[in-house]
Amino acid sequence: MSQLTQPLRDEHKELLPHIERLRAVADAVGSTPLPSLRQEIDETSAFLSHQLLPHAQAEERALYPVVGRLMGAPEATATMSRDHVEIGRLTEELGALRSSLKNDHLDTSEVQALRRVLYGLSALVTAHFAKEEEVYLPLLDTRLSREEARDLFEAMERAAQEEKRAIR
């Protein structure tokens, strides 16, 4: 029997290689030629801004209210929402650090800052996905009807598309 939350599990599976890439890019900072690093950072920033953050906003607008209702406590998702705030903050910090990549070389503090932000994003998003899949999705699988699940994922898709249109 397939799980009602399979669409979200599939979406996480699609996003995961990009999340794993954050760690690989962090590993490469300081040893990869700067033109290649610039391209990696640009692609990483684009992924965060155009895919991951809209996904997070869709969760905020559609998923977390349902989870809160099912748990009988709207504040039950507050720590997950805080993860989203920190992901947004680190994404903005990465964007600011991109400007330092215009120089001919990176100094030690720039290398450290890039690694810190990229490793931080990697760890935070990986843990965030695990919490959703281990705690929230089993709850939804057992308590939602098929119709409610369908409505939830349609609402998430609409919210993600609205966020993507807003950033263009």
Side-chain angles (χ1 to χ4, degrees), residues 10 41 57-58 80 97 112 120 127 131 134 138 148:
D10 291 343
I41 297 294
Q57 284 304 310
M80 297 295 276
L97 289 168
Q112 290 173 340
K131 291 184 288 187
E134 293 169 16
E148 289 170 320

Side-chain angles (χ1 to χ4, degrees), residues 10 15 26 61 75 79 84 92 113 117 121 123 140 161:
D10 291 343
L15 295 171
R61 291 172 51 190
E75 66 279 0
T79 58
H84 288 159
E92 287 178 15
V117 168
L121 279 163
L140 295 172
Q161 292 306 318

Side-chain angles (χ1 to χ4, degrees), residues 87-99:
I87 291 165
R89 189 194 70 73
L90 288 169
T91 298
E92 287 178 15
E93 189 173 350
L94 182 62
L97 289 168
R98 283 173 65 199
S99 64

Side-chain angles (χ1 to χ4, degrees), residues 60-141:
E60 290 292 333
R61 291 172 51 190
L63 178 66
Y64 292 174
V66 171
V67 170
R69 177 179 56 80
L70 292 175
M71 294 180 90
E75 66 279 0
T77 59
T79 58
M80 297 295 276
S81 293
R82 183 63 186 95
D83 286 355
H84 288 159
V85 170
E86 187 63 12
I87 291 165
R89 189 194 70 73
L90 288 169
T91 298
E92 287 178 15
E93 189 173 350
L94 182 62
L97 289 168
R98 283 173 65 199
S99 64
S100 69
L101 298 177
K102 293 179 180 147
N103 301 327
D104 292 334
H105 71 284
L106 296 175
D107 64 31
T108 303
S109 66
E110 292 167 327
V111 167
Q112 290 173 340
L114 280 167
R115 284 182 180 157
R116 177 185 49 76
V117 168
L118 290 164
Y119 285 136
L121 279 163
S122 174
L124 179 59
V125 176
T126 299
H128 182 84
F129 280 10
K131 291 184 288 187
E132 284 179 348
E133 293 197 10
E134 293 169 16
V135 179
Y136 291 171
L137 300 189
L139 173 78
L140 295 172
D141 284 330

Side-chain angles (χ1 to χ4, degrees), residues 6-23 43-44 46-59 63 84 87 121-122 125-126 128-130 132-133 156-157 160 164:
Q6 196 60 47
L8 187 52
R9 293 172 195 278
D10 291 343
E11 186 172 354
H12 282 177
K13 195 178 291 186
E14 288 175 25
L15 295 171
L16 203 53
H18 299 281
I19 303 309
E20 291 168 355
R21 189 170 176 210
L22 292 168
R23 187 176 45 79
E43 290 172 7
T44 297
F47 160 72
L48 292 166
S49 297
H50 299 284
Q51 287 182 272
L52 189 65
L53 291 177
H55 170 85
Q57 284 304 310
E59 289 178 345
L63 178 66
H84 288 159
I87 291 165
L121 279 163
S122 174
V125 176
T126 299
H128 182 84
F129 280 10
E132 284 179 348
E133 293 197 10
M156 285 186 70
E157 181 60 29
K164 288 177 182 180

